[in-house]
DNA sequence: AGGATAGTACCGACTGGTTGGTATGTTTGT
DNA sequence: ACAAACATACCAACCAGTCGGTACTATCCT
């Protein structure tokens, strides 16, 4: 047996993974440190060895979340970017986002969105992290938006439209959590994506890109 | 002193009032019963005399919230309803909603929206109440929408548009909580109100109603 | 080589404070 | 007198965070 590597996932990573999952499902306040440890298969001693506090773990989770979302965005543009025009890239990005958001397996709850509501007035550092997640996602989307607008020679407030996109997703997720009806996500987000394409000046043909 | 009436606000009402306020600001989980009692100036014994549990109070708060929102909606339509056409009523309703939502004194946090995120997976009864609040608000808005669509002889999915309206508000409030920037609310909600009016088939003149 | 030293990762019993809820008694309106 | 409306003291469970200790490895001194 010549070192048949069996990577021993380090405790911090296991804790972050479990934290993201539990915080998303039960919220920051309602998730006890013990539950995170149990889910990660790690002792409490190890937890506080690697993280100064529960809040510190939450911050790390937020970073992880942003990393994941950035990865998803990058993964998309890498696939669709080959030779396609900017409007098509934007349109397919939005269409794929809908499918991604509506899939209960991968999504159905946004970490910063869930967290910021509870801790907005009590944990300034965590609020700031949540805001950063939104800002980063905003910027990534705005890039696609600006390219499309430039291609169409239209002058639009890409900042406002990007905020609308992020906000629509957050709102749709809340309505989903209340109603348990995934169709809200699809309905709301696709309405807004139509509106955005229209503001950019896309033709009807461009709006209806293949999946 | 011939009974110079000084209505002795009953304890349940005081508790509901304080509950709505605290739950909105700190969330359901992070708000201790003691804090609600202190804010209401009521003893803990009185609390559990009137409410079976913390969850029962939260349900009552949710009802109170719905009542308030319904009152606001009714108050509006009573003012604007005199002889005005349905499209104008809808347009001014949405415009006034923006001002209402963006005013930190009266709003900046929605009780069912804040609550449902935390308790969606742990308190089914509370989740159902939150959903009811959304449904009721949805129905009230859909009425305005249907009247306007009927007036314009346009066929639109008023259910979808009403969900979009509610969702947009929820999303805008999350982004506001993260960024502390009220302009997100104004920006997002007015974009969607433009979209809705456009779907209804309103003229540009109708879209730009006086405040 | 090998023993002392030090640093890192980890364990789990424990602590001090908090929480939702209760038990028991007192006041108040009728 | 009797019940509803309160008040106070209390409890068991729970929670974030601590602390003394162990196992393992790396480094250094002789």
């Amino acid at each position: 047996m010549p070192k048949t590597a069996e990577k021993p996932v380090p405790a911090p990573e296991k804790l972050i993974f479990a934290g993201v999952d539990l915080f998303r499902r039960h919220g920051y306040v309602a998730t006890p440190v013990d539950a995170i440890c149990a889910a990660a298969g790690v002792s409490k001693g190890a937890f506080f060895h690697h993280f100064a506090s529960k809040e510190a773990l939450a911050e790390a989770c937020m970073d992880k979340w942003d990393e994941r979302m950035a990865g998803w965005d990058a993964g998309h543009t890498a696939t669709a970017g080959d030779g396609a025009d900017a409007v098509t890239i934007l349109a397919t990005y939005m269409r794929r986002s809908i499918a991604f958001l509506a899939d209960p397996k991968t999504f159905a709850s946004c970490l910063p969105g869930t967290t910021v509501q509870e801790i907005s007035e009590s944990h300034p550092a965590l609020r700031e992290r949540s805001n950063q997640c939104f800002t980063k996602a905003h910027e990534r989307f705005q890039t696609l938006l600006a390219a499309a607008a430039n291609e169409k020679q239209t002058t639009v407030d890409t900042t406002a439209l990007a905020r609308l996109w992020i906000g629509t997703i957050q709102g749709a997720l809340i309505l989903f959590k209340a109603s348990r009806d995934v169709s809200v996500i699809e309905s709301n987000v696709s309405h807004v994506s139509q509106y955005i394409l229209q503001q950019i000046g896309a033709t009807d043909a461009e709006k209806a890109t293949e999946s």
Side-chain angles (χ1 to χ4, degrees), chain A:
Chain A
M1 268 191 263
K3 274 195 177 172
T4 331
E6 42 180 276
K7 244 198 269 167
V9 186
E13 269 187 53
K14 286 196 279 188
L15 287 166
I16 290 171
F17 185 86
V20 169
D21 181 49
L22 292 173
F23 287 148
R24 276 211 300 167
R25 296 220 311 266
H26 308 300
Y28 174 75
V29 185
T31 305
V33 172
D34 292 301
I36 301 171
C37 292
V42 156
S43 77
K44 209 170 181 179
F47 183 104
F48 285 100
H49 176 72
H50 294 289
F51 299 97
S53 63
K54 183 182 172 184
E55 194 176 349
L57 175 78
E59 287 186 42
C61 289
M62 220 72 97
D63 291 345
K64 183 53 138 193
W65 181 260
D66 182 55
E67 190 188 312
R68 261 189 225 173
M69 292 301 112
W72 191 84
D73 284 2
H76 165 76
T77 40
T79 332
D82 292 4
D85 55 307
V87 175
T88 309
I89 292 178
L90 175 66
T92 55
Y93 173 82
M94 293 195 290
R95 183 155 303 193
R96 287 192 199 175
S97 295
I98 294 170
F100 180 56
L101 290 164
D103 181 2
K105 266 182 195 159
T106 57
F107 221 88
S109 180
C110 166
L111 178 66
T114 307
T115 310
V116 79
Q117 291 239 37
E118 317 180 67
I119 51 75
S120 161
E121 298 225 342
S122 53
H123 293 66
L126 230 42
R127 202 208 77 220
E128 194 43 52
R129 286 284 167 123
S130 301
N131 194 36
Q132 264 178 42
C133 280
F134 291 141
T135 307
K136 295 261 197 73
H138 171 106
E139 281 164 8
R140 291 192 297 269
F141 185 72
Q142 202 177 353
T143 305
L144 297 182
L145 222 44
N150 185 57
E151 193 177 80
K152 281 286 169 184
Q153 305 269 25
T154 48
T155 320
V156 287
D157 186 345
T158 54
T159 301
L161 287 182
R163 284 200 300 192
L164 179 63
W165 174 253
I166 309 287
T168 303
I169 291 169
Q170 294 303 318
L173 288 173
I174 289 195
L175 293 190
F176 164 73
K177 277 200 179 180
S179 67
R180 303 262 162 156
D181 174 11
V182 204
S183 74
V184 204
I185 298 173
E186 201 178 50
S187 169
N188 280 16
V189 181
S190 65
H191 266 289
V192 168
S193 86
Q194 289 295 312
Y195 176 72
I196 288 174
L197 287 171
Q198 165 201 314
Q199 292 287 306
I200 294 282
T203 63
D204 287 347
E206 284 166 334
K207 286 183 198 166
T209 31
E210 32 63 70
S211 69

